[in-house]
Amino acid sequence: MPTSAPPPSNYPTRSEDLIGRLNSVHIPCEAKLKALRELKNQIIGNRTKKIAFLKLGAVPSLVSILSSAVAENGGNLEFNEPVIIQSAAAIGSFACGLDAGVNAVLDAGAFPLLFGLVSHPNEKIVDACARSLKLIYQSKLAPKYNFLLEKNMDFLLSLLNSKNENVTGLGASIITHSCHTSLEQETLSEAGVIKKLISLLGGSLIQRDASLESLGAIIKENPVVVSKFMGPVNGRALNVVTELTKDRYPQTRLLACMCLILIRNASTCYLQDAGIKTKLILILLELIDDPGQVGDEAPFALSSLIAEKEDLQKIAFDSNIVDKLCNHLEKGSLQAKSLQGIFLALADLCSKLECCRDRFLSLKAFNFLTDVLTHDSPEVRTAACICLKNISRSVKNLSAGHFMNEVVIVPLVQLLHDTCTSVQIAALGAISNIVVDFTEHKSTFIHCGGVKQLVQLLKSMDPTIRFNAMWALKNLIFLVNSMCKEEILLELSPSILISLICDPETSVQEQALALVRNLVDGAIDSVEYVFSEEGLLLNAIGRQLQSASKVEVLIQGMYVLNNVASGNEFHKEAVMNLLFPHAGSDTQTILIKFMQSTDSRLRTASVWALVNLTLTSSPGANSRVMKLQRAGIVSQLKNMANDPCLDVKLRAKTALGQSMMFVDPSMGKFVFTC
Amino acid sequence: MPVRVVETSSPSQVSGTTPGNNTPPPCTLLSVGQGFSGTQNVSSLQKDEAWRVNVQIQGIDHDHGYLCGTMEALNVPMADTPVVTFWEGEIVDTKNYTFFTGKWGATTEDDIKHWTKFQSFSPLLSKVEVDGGKTLDLSNYPFIFMRWKEQYFVNVGTDCGLTIAGFYYVCFSCSDGSINGFYYDPNSSPFQKLELKSTNDGRSGFSFSTYELQ
């Protein structure tokens, strides 16, 4: 059957024709207006069309038409005003939900034009421009509004005082978009914006929602502003917001809940009543069922409500929330945003409470969790890793070996290659916990290529990656058997370890030293690891102990020495040589400094090393005690026999008691050099 | 450690007390990774018997008065392999837990009867009798009292003919890391004594490993 031939390539498409008509100076006014309407109708809610018209330069054309119509100011009103309305609406539509559209609108200079028209005498123009500006302000790309300029604040207040709900909505959107610092929050509060926004809570749906959102921006993490919000000037503001948590519109309920959560999170003085906490949890649970955007965002609100708060997590658990969130997962075909929110909420629930972890694991939701480790969205992968990290804080389940299997480990190790840094860091967090595994299955991680990849990440330029990779390796080496140690050290050479002990970041140094501490623990043969490469590793540890100032680094370094000093005579002597490199000199040894530290953990580690060095059963203990005595250590130990820390006191007494068993041959009798 | 089946609770958690710093201090000998070995006397009227026992501390959370680990019974007559159980412990810190168990079938009389078997407990007895020891200051006391409750068998099934229905009253010496305990289960031989000492893997001294959960 014959068909029509395709149009020649130089034949304009309908879209090109439409843009042509918009740009033409020869077509009648009515035709141009018609073209504007046609463009607007085509792009509303149609991302593909928006992108196509953006490529054809539609936005500069629209802004040019708007600009010309404004410039004619009072000319052909019958034509100009509808043109302004239609072009403003189309500009707003381009900016709605499309970053490229927002960029095009801003580049074409639409922003000041639209702002100028917000005070136009024609209410329909004001309406259209306010709507467009609101859409632009929904994007992070919109310019930040400077509230600190007086004229800007006056203008904002004029917007909020407008009788037009889209204009007040615009004012609120500006606040939501641009209020971030505590100075901005306090400036807005001082200017009476809170009171105005509270009054708008009694207005239309648009005004209520916009005001709730901007109130959230003003009070977020600012206890000073929260106290003003709760103060007498603002009347029964809290009651108004609380009432709105029962509103018929889900979006309003969600925004009201978020507002209350921000109040509670900013200041522990408010909303402590168990009743309101339970209500918030139940409302948010119900909102998760909403099929739209509200349902996607509700888990995030829930997460911010319960994060780090064990009491709320318990209330949420008692409300059967783990089951309900897992039921959502079972429904399947959830959008990425929804999955991300649910896993983050589950992560917070399982962050502290074993009962939540137990419940989650008993519901078989773990299968969903491992499935989404390979999800397309990096946000979902990150959330899944965070959830897995928190669930694997359960020593009970780690001890049962519940996480160390290929279903979990293989995708996690894959995520160490992820192109997204936040995914890598989240995966490292989960791995750090899982590899603690107390069973004999740590080799599963090694055989899945985990160590190889962790060692690669130790070479990362990103200090957070190095830190977390080192943390994971440290936990992996904890209580590992000798065979696994050998396998790990095939990848982790002494030179890599030395470079990380001397890493520019102290947090990395600390983890590296803690790893060596674990490495030389266990079977006595393990101590030999620090003597590899002609003792370079032990020397690097010695240098860090001499130069580091961060107490956590020193603690780990001293535990390395302690563990080495629990070895044979050769090992003990090596530690003595490291601690007292210049025997006979008057310089105060680092050990005295550590024993006098204000940090009891460092004092403890130091005194333990002395317990090991002075063990009476060791053949060389005698000469070591003499050396310690000459260095003033024994005298310092005597001072520590009444240390305020019981652990230090007991070890000091042990070390002192052991030292007293020996006699200084030069003095004939043991003498304290107090 | 499991015992032979011969053949349950309200929480003992403290409520209504103000959290203070009267809790037992952290002790390096009772930290993660530390191992202990010794025996549990399981003698009955019929015969004297003691099982060799190894314990490893796997987790400790001072804020919540919680610790956990594994217990390995080595020469259990009816088992082919050593029997490993996972246990969870309550540290008597007067903040989270008192000397009164309040569950697992133990009455306050049972509690007192068992705690008084530890010599180091006697200075505390008068205050414990009043309210379980809520007002005691244990922050400088060189002994840590705990209850260890086995939760599950790690390497054998529940049909192994052994029971973990009871729990241990435990006293840990901060000075030398020795552990004494008494197993309590109304259905088992009374006062089965657990005696453990800190182990050192054949070393000439004490070694300490570490892990941290993220």
Side-chain angles (χ1 to χ4, degrees), chain A residues 393 399 474 520-521 572, chain B residues 28 58 203-204 207 212 214:
Chain A
R393 283 177 182 170
S399 191
K474 172 196 76 180
V520 296
D521 180 62
K572 290 181 199 291
Chain B
T28 30
Q58 296 187 332
R203 285 174 180 247
S204 174
S207 176
E212 292 165 288
Q214 288 207 16

Side-chain angles (χ1 to χ4, degrees), chain B residues 70-83:
Chain B
T70 51
M71 195 179 269
E72 181 184 34
L74 290 165
N75 51 332
V76 181
M78 62 193 74
D80 302 333
T81 59
V83 177

Side-chain angles (χ1 to χ4, degrees), chain A residues 310 354 389-390 392-400 425 428-429 432-433 436 438 468 471-472 474-475 478-479 510-511 514 517-518 520-524 526-527 556 559 562-568 572 604 608 611-612 615 617-618 644-647 649-651 654, chain B residues 13 24-35 56-61 63-64 66-70 84-88 138-144 151-154 172-177 198 200-214:
Chain A
E310 197 173 315
E354 194 67 17
K389 177 189 77 179
N390 289 356
S392 57
R393 283 177 182 170
S394 164
V395 179
K396 187 170 75 177
N397 283 292
L398 284 171
S399 191
I425 292 170
L428 283 167
S432 291
N433 291 355
V436 170
F438 295 95
N468 282 286
W471 187 330
K474 172 196 76 180
N475 282 359
F478 172 73
L479 297 185
E510 181 192 346
Q511 295 299 327
R517 170 183 171 179
N518 287 347
V520 296
D521 180 62
I524 194 164
S526 304
V527 180
Q556 296 306 332
Y559 272 116
N562 172 75
N563 291 359
V564 174
S566 68
N568 59 31
K572 290 181 199 291
T604 307
W608 264 122
V611 169
N612 285 340
L615 275 184
S617 56
S618 299
C645 170
L646 181 67
D647 209 12
K649 186 164 84 177
L650 294 171
R651 306 318 144 211
T654 305
Chain B
Q13 276 178 285
C27 178
T28 30
L29 286 171
L30 191 68
S31 58
V32 294
Q34 287 306 294
Q56 185 183 59
I57 308 294
Q58 296 187 332
I60 190 156
D61 175 357
D63 288 344
H64 292 88
Y66 173 87
L67 83 166
C68 61
T70 51
V84 183
T85 53
F86 177 82
W87 55 266
E88 291 184 300
L138 299 172
S139 61
N140 215 25
Y141 205 64
F143 295 91
I144 297 174
Q151 299 294 347
Y152 60 83
F153 290 99
V154 173
F172 170 82
S173 164
C174 299
S175 306
D176 61 5
S198 186
N200 59 11
D201 276 328
R203 285 174 180 247
S204 174
F206 297 85
S207 176
F208 301 97
S209 52
T210 182
Y211 77 85
E212 292 165 288
L213 293 173
Q214 288 207 16

Side-chain angles (χ1 to χ4, degrees), chain A residues 44 72 136 149 191 250 423 469 521 534 640 662 666:
Chain A
I44 285 177
E72 281 193 26
I136 296 169
L149 290 177
V423 176
D521 180 62
E534 296 174 340
M640 295 169 88
F662 300 100
S666 65

Side-chain angles (χ1 to χ4, degrees), chain B residues 99-100 112 121-137:
Chain B
F99 283 91
F100 290 161
I112 298 286
F121 176 76
S122 45
L124 313 175
L125 176 62
S126 59
K127 284 196 170 179
V128 171
E129 281 177 325
V130 177
D131 58 2
K134 277 185 191 174
T135 56
L136 281 168
D137 179 1

Side-chain angles (χ1 to χ4, degrees), chain A residues 164-186:
Chain A
N164 181 314
E165 65 172 23
N166 281 313
V167 176
T168 51
L170 169 61
S173 296
I174 291 172
I175 295 169
T176 305
H177 174 272
S178 297
C179 177
H180 299 299
T181 68
S182 55
L183 179 62
E184 288 163 344
Q185 291 170 319
E186 279 149 35

